[in-house]
Amino acid sequence: MQADRKEEDIFINRELSWLDFNRRVLVLGKDKAVPLAERMKFLAIYNSNLDEFFMVRVGSLQERANLHHGKKEQTEVKKDMTPAEQLAAIMPKTAELQADCDKYYARLLELLAESGYTKVNFDKLTKEEEHFWKKYFQSELLPILSPQIVDNRHPFPFLRNKEIYLGVLLKEKHSGEESLGIIPLSSQMERLCFVRKEEGTSFALTEELVYHYVSMVFSKETITEKCLFRVTRNADIDAKEGMMDHDIDYRQIMSELLKRRRKLAAVRLQVTPTAPASIVRILSEQLKLTRKRVFEQKSPLDLGFFYKLASRIESDGHPELFYPPARPMLPPQGYNLTKDVQQHDVLLYYPYQSIRPFISMLKEAAHDPEVISIKMTLYRMARESQIVQALIEAAENGKEVLALVELRARFDEQNNIDWSKQLEEAGCTVIYGFEDYKVHSKLTLITRRSSEGYSYITQIGTGNYNEKTSELYTDLSFITSDPGIGLEASNVFQDLAVQKLTEESDRMLVAPLRFKSVLLEEMDRVINAARLGRPASMILKNNSINDKDIIVKLEEASCAGVRIDMIVRGICCVRAGVPGRTENLHVRSLVGRYLEHARIYSFFDGEDTRIYIASGDFLTRNTECRVEVGVRVEDPALVKKLSDILDYQLRDNVNAREMRPDGSYQKVKPSEGERLINGQMGMYDLLRNDWNAPVQPAAPEAPAVEVPAPAAVPFVQEKLPAQPEAVPEQSAAAAATAEPEPVEQGSVSSAPAEAPRRRSWMERLLDLFGMGSN
C-alpha cells in the first residue's frame, strides 16, 4: 500500500490533465496580447477540442464503465481512478470551463461591437429591426425548416452528432395535451447572416433567429418552453470489431464502421440559453443521459461560426485584429534539396522553413531515371495533396511506389480511404497498418540505383505529410543520405510489408520494440553521469506524457540530481517540483500561435549531447501500441540547431506556462526590464541563415540574448506575444485524438517569404569561429 501511495503522489490523471491543457487554449480567448480576431479563433478551437474529447475519451470511458457495471471495476495504473470515477471528475470540471468560456465569449462580443461588428440581440430589436428580421425569416428560412412532432403517434427521431436543434414543449390549445417539437438547424442553412450598416456590420446566428420566431412554425399550439440543444455522440470505433464478422476488403470495413460511428451512444447534451426542466427530462430519457451530462451554457452551442466571422472581418480589411502574416522561409534561389542532402544531413523546421523543398525532392525523384523506388508512410494528408500526387506521378513513371496508408487515423479515415484508392489506381502498392498497432510513423525512403550501386535518401519526421498543417504546426523533418540509416529504413519498410515489428536498429528508434527501451537507456546513461558528479541534464519536448515506465525513470533521474526540463504541450501525467520526488523536474507548456508538435529528446551526460527527434510522444499508446520512428541526430550543426531551438523555448516568457507542484499551471511573466522572448515567432530570426549552413560544432549553450527581427520577416516583434495552437493532429478535428490532438486548425496566413541571401564561404567561416557580423 505504501508503494501505491508513493506512486499516486507524482501522477496526474490523464483526462484531467487534458482538460487543463484545453483550459490553456481557452484562456487565450481572453488574453489581451492576442489580436481580437485570433481570440475568437481560440474559443472556437477550445470548443472543437472539447467536442473531440467527449467523442473519444469520454465515449471510451463510458463504454468501460458500462462493461464493469455491477462488478468490481479495474482501476487505472495511474492515479487509482476507475472509469466511473474519472467520469465523475470530468463533468464538474467541464462545467467550470464552460462557465469561463461563457464569460470570455460575452467579453469578446463587447470588443467586437467596439470594432464595428455587433451581434444581433433578438430580445432587444427596434420596430424597424423586428420588421426586417421577421420578413427575412418568413421568406428565407421558414420554407426550408423541417419541424417534427414527438408524441404517442410519432417516435423520437435520431439526433445527429453535433447538430444544433430547436426544441419546444407544445400544449394543444383545445385538448391541453403536451408534445415535443424539434427543428434541426445546423445543416440546412447558413449559420451567419450579415447586415451592413453605416455604423458598422451586424451579424445574427440563424439558430437564434429561428428560436425568436419559432411560434410562427407551431402556430396551432401554445409554446410553453423552448431551448436550443446539441448532442455529442461517442466516436470511438474499433476496427477489430469490424474484422470479426467480415471477410471483405479492409477499406469497406472502415467505411461501414464510419457509418456506425454516426449512431453511437450520446455522451453529452448542451442546452442554451436555459435548460427547461420538461424538455431536458425528455431528451435525457431518450438519450439515456444523467443530469450531470447536461450542460447549460450562455454562449452558442458551436463556436465554429467564429471562423466565418473572422473571414468576413479580414475581407473587410482590419489587419490590426489579426496576427501579422507569417510566411515560411524559402531557401536561396536554385536550391536543390536532393543535391544538398547528398553533401550533409538536412533538418527542416516547419512552419518557419517551407515544406516546398521536400515536395520538390519527391517530384524530382518521380522523374529521376536512377530512382527505382519511393516508400512512404501516410497518416494524415491534405485534401489536395501535392505529396500524394508526387507518388502517383512516380508510379505512373514506372517507379516502385509503396504507400502504407493508416486508415485508422481518427477523423481522417474517409480521406485516407479515398487517397488509398487513387494510389492503387495509379499503380502504387498500398498496404495498411497492423491489426494491433497503428502506424503513426513519418518515414520516407527514396532508393537509387546507379553505376556505383544503390544509395538512399531517408526522411524521418515528427509531423504528417500534410502541406496545410506544415504551415500551422511546428514540426521537424530530418533528411539524410546516410547509407546506414537508409538500410535501417529499408528494413523497417520490409517489416511493415510483412506485418512484422522491427526488433533491431542502431540510429533509428522504432516503436514498439526499439523506442522506449532506447530512451530509457539514454536516461540511465545520464543518471549514472549525475551519480558520478557530472553536470547531467535532459531536455524532453513532446505533446504528451503518461507512460508509467518513463515517469518512474524521470523520478529516479530527479532524485539522482539530473536537471530535467520538459516542454509538454498537452497531457502531462507527472507532477513537477514535488519535494524529494521530482524537485529537479521542470515542466512547461507552450500554447501559442502555432501548434507545438515537434518531439525532441536531448540527453547530456556532462560530456556529450545525444539528441533524437521522433514521431512518437511519451504516451503509452505511442511507446507500446503504435509503430513510431525516430532518429538520433549526429551532425554537429544539426545538434546545435536542435539545442538552440530547445534553449530558446525554455526561455520563452510570452507563451509559456509552468507547472507548479500541485499540478496547476502558472503563466511565465518576464521580470521588470526583461526582454520578451517569444519562443515561437522568434524562431524566424533564429533560423534566418539556416539554409546551407556549414557544419558547426555543438555549442555548450544556446544564444543567451535576443536578436533583432530579420528583414525577411519584419512582422516578428518580440513585444507581440504569439498565441496557441489548436485539434483539429484534430481538424482543430484537432486537438488531441485519443486525447484531442487539438485540432488540426490554426490561425496563420502562410505564403513564401523572400529567401535570405546565400552567405559567402568566407562569411560562414567567420561565423564558425564566432567572428561573423551575425
Side-chain angles (χ1 to χ4, degrees):
M1 291 297 295
Q2 186 61 35
D4 292 341
R5 181 61 207 169
K6 179 181 179 183
E7 178 180 304
E8 183 180 349
D9 288 340
I10 63 169
F11 279 103
I12 301 172
N13 176 264
R14 168 186 174 140
E15 318 307 344
L16 301 183
S17 178
W18 185 88
L19 287 172
D20 284 336
F21 152 69
N22 210 28
R23 181 190 299 276
R24 298 195 290 277
V25 176
L26 174 63
V27 296
L28 289 165
K30 70 165 184 174
D31 192 330
K32 295 179 181 178
V34 181
L36 181 59
E38 309 294 350
R39 290 164 65 176
M40 291 162 37
K41 295 178 186 179
F42 283 122
L43 285 193
I45 291 169
Y46 158 82
N47 181 242
S48 175
N49 285 352
L50 193 60
D51 282 348
E52 186 169 340
F53 176 74
F54 269 85
M55 290 163 63
V56 178
R57 299 304 303 173
V58 173
S60 176
L61 285 171
Q62 183 60 61
E63 288 189 354
R64 289 159 55 195
N66 292 341
L67 285 174
H68 293 103
H69 184 68
K71 304 176 185 178
K72 183 178 180 180
E73 297 179 342
Q74 298 297 313
T75 58
E76 293 273 290
V77 175
K78 308 169 188 64
K79 203 54 185 169
D80 196 28
M81 295 180 73
T82 66
E85 289 169 342
Q86 292 180 75
L87 289 170
I90 286 169
M91 300 311 154
K93 197 161 186 175
T94 301
E96 178 186 320
L97 288 174
Q98 186 58 55
D100 289 341
C101 182
D102 291 344
K103 289 188 294 185
Y104 303 161
Y105 172 77
R107 178 55 181 158
L108 280 182
L109 291 186
E110 296 174 1
L111 296 174
L112 282 167
E114 293 173 8
S115 299
Y117 292 86
T118 305
K119 182 172 175 290
V120 175
N121 184 341
F122 288 99
D123 292 330
K124 297 181 180 180
L125 297 177
T126 65
K127 288 185 178 180
E128 181 183 359
E129 291 170 335
E130 186 77 52
H131 176 74
F132 170 83
W133 287 112
K134 184 176 182 179
K135 184 176 180 181
Y136 177 84
F137 174 78
Q138 290 175 315
S139 61
E140 300 297 326
L141 299 181
L142 186 57
I144 63 172
L145 295 179
S146 301
Q148 301 165 275
I149 297 290
V150 180
D151 55 22
N152 293 334
R153 292 166 294 172
H154 301 88
F156 191 84
F158 176 77
L159 302 177
R160 296 181 186 177
N161 184 39
K162 300 194 295 183
E163 180 110 349
I164 295 175
Y165 294 88
L166 174 58
V168 294
L169 192 65
L170 303 170
K171 190 172 186 178
E172 216 284 330
K173 294 179 181 178
H174 301 294
S175 66
E177 293 184 0
E178 287 188 334
S179 58
L180 178 67
I182 296 178
I183 305 176
L185 299 173
S186 296
S187 61
Q188 298 182 0
M189 57 205 77
E190 291 287 339
R191 275 194 78 196
L192 274 183
C193 305
F194 293 97
V195 178
R196 190 66 182 262
K197 300 180 179 179
E198 290 185 4
E199 64 274 18
T201 299
S202 295
F203 63 93
L205 284 172
T206 301
E207 63 260 31
E208 295 181 358
L209 175 59
V210 178
Y211 178 89
H212 184 67
Y213 292 110
V214 67
S215 60
M216 298 177 67
V217 180
F218 300 100
S219 55
K220 295 182 180 180
E221 293 87 6
T222 299
I223 296 176
T224 59
E225 293 179 351
K226 62 180 179 178
C227 67
L228 294 164
F229 66 89
R230 181 174 183 257
V231 178
T232 311
R233 292 187 176 276
N234 179 13
D236 191 28
I237 61 174
D238 185 357
K240 287 185 181 180
E241 183 181 344
M243 296 292 286
M244 291 179 184
D245 303 319
H246 297 79
D247 186 19
I248 55 176
D249 180 76
Y250 185 41
R251 282 192 300 242
Q252 183 62 33
I253 293 171
M254 290 303 301
S255 295
E256 292 299 322
L257 288 173
L258 292 180
K259 293 178 184 177
R260 192 184 307 177
R261 171 190 279 168
R262 302 171 193 151
K263 298 183 179 181
L264 294 180
V267 292
R268 176 179 62 159
L269 175 65
Q270 298 166 267
V271 185
T272 192
T274 59
S278 298
I279 295 179
V280 169
R281 177 181 53 77
I282 295 172
L283 294 175
S284 298
E285 288 176 356
Q286 292 293 333
L287 296 170
K288 295 180 173 56
L289 291 174
T290 65
R291 188 63 181 82
K292 292 181 180 179
R293 299 291 186 91
V294 180
F295 296 91
E296 181 179 342
Q297 60 189 71
K298 303 302 180 185
S299 54
L301 302 173
D302 181 356
L303 296 177
F305 75 89
F306 269 146
Y307 290 115
K308 184 171 183 179
L309 178 57
S311 296
R312 174 61 181 256
I313 294 173
E314 187 173 27
S315 66
D316 289 346
H318 294 281
E320 73 281 1
L321 301 182
F322 295 85
Y323 288 131
R327 300 178 176 89
M329 294 182 288
L330 285 169
Q333 189 172 5
Y335 176 82
N336 185 290
L337 178 57
T338 302
K339 293 180 180 178
D340 197 23
V341 78
Q342 289 170 346
Q343 302 300 316
H344 58 81
D345 296 346
V346 175
L347 184 70
L348 302 181
Y349 192 22
Y350 311 139
Y352 311 108
Q353 294 170 302
S354 175
I355 195 175
R356 290 188 185 184
F358 175 72
I359 296 174
S360 296
M361 183 181 74
L362 284 178
K363 290 182 176 180
E364 180 182 332
H367 297 273
D368 186 340
E370 290 190 350
V371 171
I372 61 172
S373 71
I374 303 176
K375 301 178 180 181
M376 181 178 279
T377 59
L378 298 171
Y379 193 75
R380 297 187 192 276
M381 296 155 278
R383 293 286 186 266
E384 298 179 3
S385 174
Q386 297 180 59
I387 291 171
V388 177
Q389 289 298 336
L391 296 181
I392 290 174
E393 287 179 28
E396 291 174 344
N397 289 335
K399 313 295 183 188
E400 178 196 356
V401 177
L402 173 71
L404 187 147
V405 182
E406 180 52 79
L407 298 187
R408 294 167 295 180
R410 200 183 306 276
F411 304 121
D412 272 335
E413 296 98 340
Q414 190 59 56
N415 188 49
N416 289 7
I417 289 171
D418 295 341
W419 275 126
S420 70
K421 292 178 180 178
Q422 291 192 44
L423 286 163
E424 274 191 355
E425 290 170 1
C428 303
T429 299
V430 178
I431 60 176
Y432 307 109
F434 293 72
E435 181 178 343
D436 296 323
Y437 302 93
K438 277 188 182 181
V439 178
H440 189 249
S441 309
K442 326 299 180 188
L443 180 64
T444 299
L445 180 66
I446 300 172
T447 303
R448 276 187 171 77
R449 181 173 56 202
S450 67
S451 59
E452 299 177 357
Y454 292 102
S455 62
Y456 304 102
I457 291 180
T458 309
Q459 184 273 344
I460 299 171
T462 66
N464 297 300
Y465 297 114
N466 188 313
E467 299 93 308
K468 298 302 294 182
T469 58
S470 74
E471 298 176 350
L472 308 174
Y473 291 16
T474 69
D475 269 309
L476 293 157
S477 177
F478 174 78
I479 308 117
T480 182
S481 60
D482 185 297
I485 293 179
L487 286 171
E488 288 189 22
S490 178
N491 182 52
V492 170
F493 276 111
Q494 289 180 17
D495 288 344
L496 290 172
V498 297
Q499 299 280 290
K500 175 186 174 184
L501 297 177
T502 299
E503 298 180 25
E504 297 181 2
S505 60
D506 178 25
R507 295 275 298 281
M508 288 182 62
L509 302 175
V510 189
L513 303 182
R514 287 291 293 162
F515 185 83
K516 178 164 67 171
S517 60
V518 175
L519 296 175
L520 291 175
E521 289 168 6
E522 292 288 4
M523 292 181 183
D524 282 332
R525 186 176 62 86
V526 174
I527 291 170
N528 291 334
R531 288 172 176 161
L532 292 173
R534 297 206 297 265
S537 62
M538 292 186 278
I539 306 176
L540 309 170
K541 172 179 169 60
N542 60 16
N543 296 331
S544 302
I545 171 174
N546 79 336
D547 186 286
K548 178 182 178 182
D549 297 328
I550 292 178
I551 290 175
V552 170
K553 186 62 69 174
L554 290 174
E555 180 189 7
E556 180 184 347
S558 174
C559 292
V562 177
R563 164 83 189 202
I564 309 165
D565 287 289
M566 297 187 67
I567 306 170
V568 185
R569 184 195 79 218
I571 296 168
C572 185
C573 292
V574 57
R575 295 186 193 277
V578 177
R581 307 291 305 287
T582 58
E583 55 193 345
N584 290 313
L585 172 64
H586 310 269
V587 176
R588 59 168 39 203
S589 173
L590 296 181
V591 184
R593 176 173 185 168
Y594 298 131
L595 180 97
E596 289 292 335
H597 198 250
R599 290 88 165 185
I600 310 173
Y601 306 128
S602 178
F603 305 93
F604 179 63
D605 65 359
E607 296 177 352
D608 299 309
T609 295
R610 289 163 67 93
I611 197 162
Y612 299 79
I613 68 166
S615 62
D617 291 314
F618 284 171
L619 289 172
T620 305
R621 71 170 190 184
N622 298 100
T623 60
E624 298 183 3
C625 305
R626 290 186 173 185
V627 178
E628 306 279 3
V629 296
V631 65
R632 185 170 77 247
V633 178
E634 296 184 354
D635 186 312
L638 302 188
V639 171
K640 183 180 187 304
K641 178 177 179 177
L642 289 170
S643 297
D644 286 354
I645 289 169
L646 292 173
D647 176 81
Y648 202 75
Q649 293 203 331
L650 288 175
R651 294 188 289 116
D652 184 299
N653 56 18
V654 170
N655 308 296
R657 285 171 170 77
E658 292 185 340
M659 182 191 285
R660 295 181 289 193
D662 64 357
S664 63
Y665 286 80
Q666 185 173 39
K667 186 173 176 60
V668 175
K669 296 181 179 180
S671 304
E672 185 175 351
E674 182 183 359
R675 293 194 65 177
L676 293 180
I677 298 178
N678 189 329
Q680 288 198 334
M681 301 312 292
M683 287 294 168
Y684 285 97
D685 189 58
L686 189 71
L687 303 173
R688 60 176 170 171
N689 293 320
D690 184 72
W691 293 105
N692 274 354
V695 176
Q696 302 178 18
E701 293 183 5
V705 292
E706 279 282 69
V707 284
V713 274
F715 57 87
V716 182
Q717 302 176 20
E718 289 298 8
K719 299 214 171 206
L720 178 62
Q723 289 19 265
E725 53 191 88
V727 274
E729 238 147 359
Q730 300 140 51
S731 14
T737 79
E739 65 273 5
E741 247 173 9
V743 140
E744 287 173 324
Q745 5 197 46
S747 50
V748 180
S749 170
S750 298
E754 193 172 321
R757 175 179 65 87
R758 184 195 292 266
R759 293 181 298 158
S760 69
W761 175 86
M762 180 59 74
E763 287 176 305
R764 286 185 278 159
L765 182 62
L766 290 172
D767 280 354
L768 178 62
F769 292 98
M771 300 168 63
S773 59
N774 292 325

